[in-house]
Amino acid sequence: MEEKDIFAVLDIELEKVRSLEGSMSIVVIPMKYADKALGYKREVDTAVRYKEYLVVGLFGMEADQASALFLSIPKGIAVYPYDGKDIQALFFEATGRLQEMGSAPWVKRLWDSIKETKAMERLEDPESRFISASFYQFLALLASRPHDLARISADMNEMDRHWVKDYLPHGLAQSLDNDTCSQGEQVTDLLQEWQYKERMELKQEKGKKTLRKFRNIEHFFTLPSISQEIIDLASDVLLAASKMARIIEKDPVLTSRVLKVVNSAFYGFHRQIDSVEHAIVILGNDEVVNLAFSIAIHKILETISAPHAQRLWEHSLLVAHLSQWLGPLMGYKFKDKIYTVGLLHDFGKIVFLQRGHFISDTGNPSSLEDLAKEEMDSGLSHAEMGAYIAERWNLPSGIVDALLCHHLPGKAKDTALAVTVHLADIIAHTGSIHMDMVNNAAIRFLSERKGPALSAEMVSKAYQETLSRVKLVLEVQDGT
Ligand SMILES: [Fe+2]
Ligand SMILES: [Fe+2]
């Protein structure tokens, strides 16, 4: 096909777009990917072969949408009207971009599509935000093939390599630095063979189904009413002790449990504390609110089998208390959120457990493989499920975000909060900070953080102390 033919065909399309005052993307794709690209093209689009390229005109599309449409295909994109007014200028712009890019930038865009949830947020249903929040299947595939991962990484510039690593456990991220071979084509083959786009679609489909199935189960999504009031209280720092006490005392069972814990060896007071107001005066608002909230929320665990509930509850309390200790060391200033995030971080597992879905072993920190398995089984991980529930409970968006990112702290809006809970989770499971298990973004945060160093001795001491204190709370609770 001659040069003037392609320009003639696309010029007609561009004329239509121009008259509608719309936009149009011109995508230039190497011929070897033409069959695949034609499979993804929409009916409304025009495709023309030109020399070693397939040139596609996409109506009403911006660059990011066009990029998402041909996700795993190397391409150059130019957009009317930003990149030029006529078809020749657009074509040369797009071809130039394709040649400039080589193979690495499309891999970057692939990562971008995992990192960014923008495309999904455009979808109408609110659940999509949680389903697309991460893509552990893909991370686990790459983790199981470090050589391929090294190839992707080697193709990238320094900055891009940083954020790819932010998704991985530190041990794996470190191993990337040792491999320098660079063969972008093989990465293309890997992704094609693994069918990235299809799998992503399948995950989203499954995730939506799971959430729709659970959406109407009221008891999951109705926070015990007293907990809702307690959460509201937590944000009101000036609330008088008497008013707060009155709200807690509306529930006599809750009140008696709060007083039992307050009078237990956990707090070690010699004098009997006989009212919630008295407890607030002695312990402070935050402590009593946290305590009342955990006792109220414990009800939700009654929906799963006792051994699971017990293990999850002990772990949740441990992470909540360790987070409270760790937060200030990580430079996190807001005490009210940190306990709640620690307590609820794995609550997504309750839903999966109740319905017989796969969840990662509650006794170990979740690995990428575990999270990928959860995703394959339900379309979403327990972190995504937990965040979804928290949003349905109308918890503050900072809490929802931290729950969503407790295994990928680099993605969180508030890194200090997500890193704190991520580290507390690993400490709660292992008694120390296992550098290989910690997410690389968290390690980077630790190395850039200015503040007191976190020694192994400090961590181990805090773990032992917190564990024995949590055991005291559990003893009191079991006795009620
Ligand atoms: Fe988790
Ligand atoms: Fe956990």
Side-chain angles (χ1 to χ4, degrees):
M1 192 176 276
E2 288 303 309
E3 200 164 308
K4 69 174 188 328
D5 292 332
I6 148 182
F7 293 141
V9 173
L10 287 171
D11 225 4
I12 298 170
E13 307 303 329
L14 192 64
E15 196 47 54
K16 282 190 227 161
V17 175
R18 206 176 276 140
S19 67
L20 294 167
E21 293 187 353
S23 57
M24 177 173 169
S25 285
I26 299 293
V27 186
V28 175
I29 292 163
M31 243 359 249
K32 62 184 282 199
Y33 299 101
D35 285 347
K36 196 164 185 218
L38 287 169
Y40 294 144
K41 169 183 110 37
R42 304 168 310 170
E43 226 167 82
V44 68
D45 305 321
T46 305
V48 189
R49 277 159 199 258
Y50 177 67
K51 293 188 182 166
E52 72 268 37
Y53 302 118
L54 177 76
V55 186
V56 189
L58 303 162
F59 280 105
M61 262 203 196
E62 298 287 338
D64 55 345
Q65 281 174 284
S67 185
L69 187 65
F70 303 114
L71 191 63
S72 60
I73 301 172
K75 57 203 164 280
I77 299 171
V79 183
Y80 170 83
Y82 321 112
D83 296 323
K85 296 283 175 212
D86 61 71
I87 200 68
Q88 291 207 17
L90 290 165
F91 173 74
F92 289 120
E93 187 67 42
T95 316
R97 282 182 187 156
L98 175 70
Q99 282 158 0
E100 244 173 57
M101 287 192 303
S103 63
W106 76 265
V107 177
K108 176 179 174 344
R109 278 199 304 282
L110 177 70
W111 279 100
D112 274 343
S113 70
I114 300 171
K115 197 170 74 154
E116 294 293 332
T117 53
K118 273 191 198 136
M120 288 302 116
E121 281 166 10
R122 251 188 255 121
L123 295 178
E124 271 152 34
D125 54 325
E127 284 91 357
S128 300
R129 179 151 87 84
F130 299 99
I131 301 163
S132 63
S134 61
F135 193 27
Y136 292 108
Q137 285 182 48
F138 184 65
L139 301 178
L141 168 87
L142 291 180
S144 68
R145 300 174 71 150
H147 209 60
D148 293 313
L149 184 55
R151 271 189 227 121
I152 291 182
S153 161
D155 270 355
M156 291 181 158
N157 63 37
E158 192 62 27
M159 231 173 73
D160 295 342
R161 199 173 305 148
H162 260 311
W163 56 253
V164 167
K165 285 183 185 175
D166 278 359
Y167 280 86
L168 305 168
H170 182 59
L172 187 63
Q174 253 185 335
S175 70
L176 296 186
D177 294 330
N178 306 326
D179 199 328
T180 51
C181 69
S182 167
Q183 308 252 340
E185 283 301 301
Q186 290 177 42
V187 179
T188 308
D189 294 343
L190 166 73
L191 289 162
Q192 278 184 351
E193 170 198 318
W194 195 65
Q195 298 180 303
Y196 175 85
K197 192 171 187 289
E198 291 79 358
R199 279 173 190 263
M200 189 62 163
E201 277 166 6
L202 203 71
K203 168 193 154 59
Q204 285 164 357
E205 224 23 68
K206 242 187 193 169
K208 270 187 220 167
K209 247 196 208 154
T210 304
L211 291 184
R212 293 214 173 105
K213 201 163 75 185
F214 291 137
R215 188 158 54 184
N216 299 324
I217 305 177
E218 269 313 301
H219 67 266
F220 280 138
F221 299 118
T222 317
L223 193 58
S225 66
I226 191 84
S227 331
Q228 184 64 61
E229 284 182 72
I230 293 168
I231 287 247
D232 295 340
L233 284 185
S235 49
D236 190 349
V237 281
L238 298 172
L239 196 77
S242 56
K243 197 168 168 200
M244 188 185 289
R246 235 177 294 134
I247 294 174
I248 293 172
E249 281 167 353
K250 275 203 302 198
D251 185 331
V253 179
L254 178 64
T255 303
S256 80
R257 288 186 183 178
V258 166
L259 291 177
K260 232 176 184 173
V261 177
V262 168
N263 284 306
S264 72
F266 182 85
Y267 289 105
F269 292 114
H270 300 299
R271 267 176 44 215
Q272 183 77 11
I273 297 169
D274 51 12
S275 72
V276 176
E277 195 174 339
H278 188 189
I280 292 170
V281 171
I282 291 175
L283 298 172
N285 282 4
D286 289 347
E287 192 73 28
V288 175
V289 164
N290 287 340
L291 177 61
F293 180 67
S294 25
I295 293 172
I297 206 93
H298 183 248
K299 249 182 170 355
I300 295 172
L301 283 148
E302 288 165 10
T303 55
I304 56 175
S305 78
H308 274 131
Q310 207 174 355
R311 214 154 16 144
L312 192 59
W313 188 236
E314 182 178 329
H315 176 66
S316 305
L317 284 173
L318 207 48
V319 174
H321 286 274
L322 282 169
S323 299
Q324 254 186 332
W325 161 73
L326 202 54
L329 296 171
M330 295 292 113
Y332 186 73
K333 296 178 205 79
F334 311 100
K335 282 199 321 220
D336 57 326
K337 277 189 210 144
I338 207 155
Y339 183 90
T340 314
V341 175
L343 191 74
L344 300 181
H345 78 287
D346 275 342
F347 265 42
K349 289 183 178 178
I350 299 173
V351 178
F352 290 155
L353 272 170
Q354 235 216 4
R355 296 290 143 145
H357 286 240
F358 173 84
I359 58 145
S360 49
D361 178 8
T362 40
N364 294 312
S366 302
S367 65
L368 277 179
E369 288 72 19
D370 289 335
L371 293 161
K373 264 193 235 163
E374 290 179 0
E375 227 174 20
M376 273 189 262
D377 197 42
S378 315
L380 62 168
S381 71
H382 70 269
E384 292 160 335
M385 190 55 161
Y388 176 71
I389 299 171
E391 188 168 87
R392 293 287 300 268
W393 287 350
N394 289 323
L395 297 189
S397 62
I399 291 183
V400 174
D401 184 63
L403 295 175
L404 190 61
C405 300
H406 77 271
H407 288 291
L408 288 174
K411 268 177 58 106
K413 291 194 185 90
D414 188 335
T415 321
L417 175 59
V419 166
T420 300
V421 177
H422 178 70
L423 293 178
D425 187 25
I426 292 173
I427 299 171
H429 278 300
T430 64
S432 64
I433 298 183
H434 269 271
M435 291 302 180
D436 275 6
M437 289 177 192
V438 174
N439 183 284
N440 201 55
I443 295 280
R444 226 180 56 204
F445 176 87
L446 285 177
S447 69
E448 287 167 3
R449 178 185 58 100
K450 290 181 187 62
L454 201 62
S455 69
E457 293 73 38
M458 269 165 84
V459 171
S460 152
K461 190 165 164 256
Y463 169 73
Q464 292 302 342
E465 278 176 16
T466 313
L467 185 64
S468 49
R469 280 163 67 82
V470 162
K471 292 237 159 77
L472 288 174
V473 174
L474 292 171
E475 270 169 32
V476 175
Q477 280 185 356
D478 289 346
T480 52

